[in-house]
Amino acid sequence: MYAQMIKTAGTGVKSPEEMTEEERRFQARVDANEKIEPKDWMPEDYRKTLIRQIGQHAHSEIVGQLPEGNWITRAPTLERKAILLAKVQDEAGHGLYLYCAAETLGVSRDELTEQLLSGKMKYSSIFNYPTLTWADMGAVGWLVDGAAIMNQVPLQRTSFGPYSRAMIRICKEESFHQRQGYDIMMKMAQGTPAQKKMAQDALNRFWYPSLMMFGPSDKDSVHSAQSMAWKIKMNTNDELRQKFVDQTVPQAEYLGLTVPDEHLKWNEERGHYDFSEPDWSEFYDVLKGNGPCNTDRLNARREAWEEGQWVRDAMLAHARKKAAAKVAAE
């Protein structure tokens, strides 16, 4: 879901002369838009890059349930509760699809979780911000899921088959999440002055963290070139961020809300909006674990992991018993 976390093990794109014969054949398949499947030969750095990206994507889907799950019992109507509950269930499913895709690369779900809890693997920085009001549920759906869709739609064409196929269903469901969020914002913006003020406040707080979801500026994203050469990543961070701004600003105007950027303006010559860069020092500080909710989010995942140990043990014991019974019957 989140391009901001991409890091590759390599330092640059190899020229054909620098590649081995196997690497050249592999790159030719990628260039021809053939899907790479788990049992196919692949460069070790390609495999490691995919594990890191898919794992962090999966973690983001799971951690992303936490700021929303907090509002299920507090949603204003029964219908809103049911919709939000369904959305949180979708996010859990997305995480499971992605963990399964990662497992085809030879890494277990337990290993991925342990890397998350140890701090070796990250999740999207956006989920380290609190959801303070019901309007924040609208902002999360509209802005956060909107940014996620911007990242994820191109990933349906990514070169690794299991990842590409998982993204097809995920994108369909995320599009509903974005519409659900926008519907909340519309109701708030068209409501009482206090409700509209609440919607504006949510936009103010989530605008720049949403822009950060696309990752650092291209000039600071030193490994993007290799990821794009392998078609693990389909667009640059800045391309996606610009597309998100161009799409979202008219939506905010329709709502009667103001994007919190005094430098925002339409550039006729470029055919795009000019906008202010996020505070990248804040972005890196949150990634280091210093965001408003970093500790709470990781503690929640750690507690769930530890309390679920007995379930995992019971399932493994049952699987071993069934396997032994099958052998005995043969």
Side-chain angles (χ1 to χ4, degrees):
M1 176 178 183
Y2 306 95
Q4 66 180 49
M5 297 302 176
I6 295 176
K7 285 184 178 179
T8 63
T11 57
V13 181
K14 290 183 179 180
S15 66
E17 293 74 25
E18 295 173 310
M19 295 179 185
T20 66
E21 183 59 33
E22 280 184 319
E23 288 174 331
R24 282 193 288 271
R25 287 198 296 267
F26 175 84
Q27 190 62 53
R29 291 187 63 196
V30 170
D31 292 342
N33 293 320
E34 293 183 29
K35 294 302 180 191
I36 307 301
E37 299 299 337
K39 292 184 179 180
D40 295 342
W41 184 90
M42 63 186 71
E44 184 60 17
D45 283 352
Y46 176 87
R47 188 183 75 86
K48 289 180 178 178
T49 298
L50 280 168
I51 289 173
R52 189 175 294 110
Q53 180 172 333
I54 298 172
Q56 291 173 348
H57 189 164
H59 293 328
S60 298
E61 297 284 357
I62 298 301
V63 175
Q65 297 174 96
L66 298 174
E68 295 179 311
N70 186 44
W71 278 93
I72 291 174
T73 58
R74 296 187 288 165
T77 67
L78 181 60
E79 181 182 26
R80 291 291 186 190
K81 286 177 171 64
I83 292 171
L84 186 57
L85 178 60
K87 180 183 179 185
V88 171
Q89 289 174 321
D90 284 349
E91 306 295 4
H94 298 173
L96 293 178
Y97 305 151
L98 293 165
Y99 284 134
C100 289
E103 285 175 328
T104 67
L105 292 160
V107 61
S108 72
R109 199 171 308 181
D110 287 7
E111 289 175 291
L112 292 173
T113 302
E114 287 162 4
Q115 289 182 40
L116 170 69
L117 298 180
S118 69
K120 184 178 179 181
M121 190 172 279
K122 305 293 184 180
Y123 55 88
S124 179
S125 62
I126 191 70
F127 299 121
N128 288 312
Y129 292 86
T131 46
L132 304 177
T133 70
W134 174 246
D136 287 9
M137 290 297 94
V140 167
W142 172 37
L143 300 176
V144 176
D145 291 326
I149 292 168
M150 204 66 68
N151 267 322
Q152 292 173 2
V153 167
L155 290 176
Q156 294 175 100
R157 296 180 285 109
T158 196
S159 60
F160 187 56
Y163 194 21
S164 170
R165 291 188 288 273
M167 292 314 305
I168 294 172
R169 177 165 180 173
I170 290 173
C171 286
K172 289 178 180 178
E173 293 179 350
E174 291 288 3
S175 68
F176 280 102
H177 300 172
Q178 196 268 350
R179 295 176 190 179
Q180 174 251 358
Y182 194 71
D183 181 66
I184 292 174
M185 294 298 279
M186 185 178 297
K187 293 294 190 297
M188 300 290 285
Q190 296 174 352
T192 66
Q195 288 172 323
K196 184 173 183 179
K197 183 179 179 181
M198 194 181 296
Q200 181 64 58
D201 174 66
L203 171 57
N204 292 346
R205 286 183 288 106
F206 277 93
W207 175 253
Y208 284 107
S210 295
L211 295 187
M212 294 176 192
M213 287 178 65
F214 299 98
S217 178
D218 291 344
K219 67 180 185 298
D220 299 316
S221 184
V222 295
H223 299 307
S224 285
Q226 181 62 81
S227 287
M228 293 185 70
W230 280 330
K231 297 188 180 179
I232 293 175
K233 183 176 180 178
M234 309 302 292
N235 301 91
T236 72
N237 298 349
D238 287 341
E239 286 173 350
L240 292 171
R241 191 169 11 254
Q242 181 69 69
K243 187 176 180 181
F244 174 76
V245 172
D246 290 346
Q247 173 182 288
T248 308
V249 170
Q251 294 172 351
E253 291 174 347
Y254 181 80
L255 292 174
L257 301 177
T258 302
V259 173
D261 182 355
E262 61 182 13
H263 302 296
L264 180 71
K265 64 177 180 179
W266 177 255
N267 186 317
E268 194 68 42
E269 184 177 344
R270 292 198 312 120
H272 297 287
Y273 283 96
D274 294 333
F275 60 95
S276 300
E277 287 283 309
D279 180 354
W280 291 115
S281 63
E282 176 185 326
F283 170 74
Y284 288 113
D285 199 40
V286 172
L287 286 187
K288 290 176 183 176
N290 300 319
C293 297
N294 285 71
T295 300
D296 290 343
R297 301 297 186 236
L298 270 182
N299 283 346
R301 290 303 304 133
R302 185 172 290 106
E303 181 180 348
W305 182 247
E306 292 171 355
E307 290 186 354
Q309 183 65 51
W310 72 271
V311 178
R312 297 191 297 276
D313 290 344
M315 292 179 69
L316 286 171
H318 179 65
R320 286 192 292 266
K321 186 176 179 179
K322 282 187 68 177
K326 183 177 181 182
V327 171
E330 292 173 352

